[in-house]
Amino acid sequence: MQRVVCWDVDRVWYPGISTSYCADQSVSNPRPYLEGFLDRGWFTPADVAAWAAYRGKDPDAPIARMADLAAMLTDFFYELKSGGRPVLSKPQAVEGKQSLLTGTTMSEIRAIADGVPLTPGFRETVASLRGCGVYQAAFSDGLGPFVSYVARREGMDHWGVVPAAVIAGNRKTLFSDEMLDRDDVVLTGIVDRYDKSIALFDHLEVAGYTLTEVAAIDDSAANIPTLKKIQQGGGVAVGFNPLDEDAFRRERIPILRGRALEPFGEIVRDPRAVEDLCV
């Protein structure tokens, strides 16, 4: 049995992305944000047109809502390429999507998070592993306050998230877990840089775990280097519902069968089950 689980969150605990869930509820005008990204040279009008064609949007007005802009930024990192590379880098995608949520309150974040459906088997798996004494940590590039709230709600032992600048009590500061239940906390849309891989390995070292004791699960090809390091260190690493299955196969990262998480719990308890439960 593995002694520690490192969870990815977005598209593993629930089917979507935390920043997108919040952007979907926004009634703000996306135009100033879009023009700001264009002015910064992050992408071009031709990239926007290509995205509109890719998603079947109205070519004359593809960005009608903030949700459209959030979806485009996501696709610019995960789906669409320019010059053989993603249109946006990972730091740009993270920074850009977080900026869309300026003005969102912690009370709104809690309400949105509580309305998000969880992946089948997630709670059962967390509970069964907790019963076995497995240490569970979550690391995410998503919306920090959202992920922190869900991680606390679901009983994680530790979580690492993107540091978000907020206004709390009329003072600008970085979000901290003590603010999770406050209603006067407002996102500024500004975040500090965060490297999920560094945070994960630093925490394992501080907590006293070796890679041989770790089981990790992630959906993103961008995080394959982290999974490979765990795998090569003697731990267990699996992909879950990845968009880029070929990338996982090229690197020989097994992919969990199906869209439920109970099999991952079986793998944590007996790593030999990877052969039967993954492809």
Side-chain angles (χ1 to χ4, degrees):
M1 175 182 289
Q2 303 305 101
R3 292 184 59 209
V4 56
V5 165
C6 292
W7 290 98
D8 181 36
V9 179
D10 285 357
R11 298 190 75 249
V12 176
W13 288 7
Y14 36 74
I17 299 174
S18 50
T19 47
S20 295
Y21 285 129
C22 292
D24 287 348
Q25 302 298 315
S26 175
V27 295
S28 298
N29 180 5
R31 192 70 199 179
Y33 294 90
L34 175 61
E35 291 173 351
F37 296 137
L38 291 168
D39 288 344
R40 294 166 73 179
W42 278 17
F43 49 81
T44 68
D47 292 321
V48 177
W51 177 79
Y54 179 69
R55 289 298 181 189
K57 297 286 186 177
D58 180 352
D60 296 323
I63 308 297
R65 302 173 53 239
M66 195 68 87
D68 296 323
L69 185 51
M72 186 176 72
L73 295 179
T74 300
D75 286 343
F76 277 172
F77 175 61
Y78 286 106
E79 301 275 351
L80 297 180
K81 298 184 183 300
S82 177
R85 295 184 177 183
V87 176
L88 291 182
S89 68
K90 186 173 184 178
Q92 286 175 324
V94 170
E95 179 185 342
K97 290 194 67 179
Q98 302 262 354
S99 73
L100 304 183
L101 305 179
T102 303
T104 306
T105 67
M106 191 62 223
S107 60
E108 291 171 330
I109 291 169
R110 292 195 304 268
I112 294 168
D114 284 338
V116 169
L118 296 174
T119 300
F122 168 64
R123 281 185 168 154
E124 293 82 355
T125 300
V126 169
S128 68
L129 294 177
R130 184 184 301 120
C132 295
V134 175
Y135 182 87
Q136 299 184 69
F139 298 90
S140 174
D141 293 310
L143 179 59
F146 184 109
V147 172
S148 296
Y149 173 72
V150 177
R152 185 188 68 171
R153 187 189 72 193
E154 301 302 325
M156 291 294 108
D157 296 297
H158 173 82
W159 49 90
V161 300
V162 177
V166 298
I167 301 295
N170 297 318
R171 183 172 67 92
K172 186 175 180 180
T173 185
L174 283 179
F175 182 85
S176 61
D177 291 337
E178 301 84 61
M179 301 175 187
L180 285 170
D181 297 313
R182 290 175 58 172
D183 293 338
D184 65 338
V185 174
V186 182
L187 299 184
T188 66
I190 299 171
V191 294
D192 280 353
R193 288 294 178 93
Y194 174 76
D195 189 309
K196 187 171 85 170
S197 182
I198 291 175
L200 185 155
F201 291 118
D202 282 353
H203 179 70
L204 290 176
E205 182 176 359
V206 170
Y209 292 106
T210 64
L211 295 186
T212 59
E213 300 173 292
V214 174
I217 186 168
D218 204 302
D219 75 289
S220 174
N223 296 317
I224 284 177
T226 300
L227 297 177
K228 286 297 293 183
K229 183 174 179 178
I230 291 169
Q231 188 184 65
Q232 292 168 351
V236 177
V238 301
F240 181 71
N241 192 24
L243 292 175
D244 190 350
E245 292 187 4
D246 289 341
F248 279 77
R249 292 193 176 97
R250 283 194 300 271
E251 296 298 329
R252 297 186 178 180
I253 301 292
I255 300 171
L256 199 67
R257 296 181 188 272
R259 297 294 183 267
L261 284 166
E262 289 99 338
F264 178 61
E266 295 182 41
I267 291 169
V268 176
R269 289 186 289 273
D270 181 5
R272 294 172 298 181
V274 164
E275 295 183 6
D276 295 326
L277 300 176
C278 294
V279 296

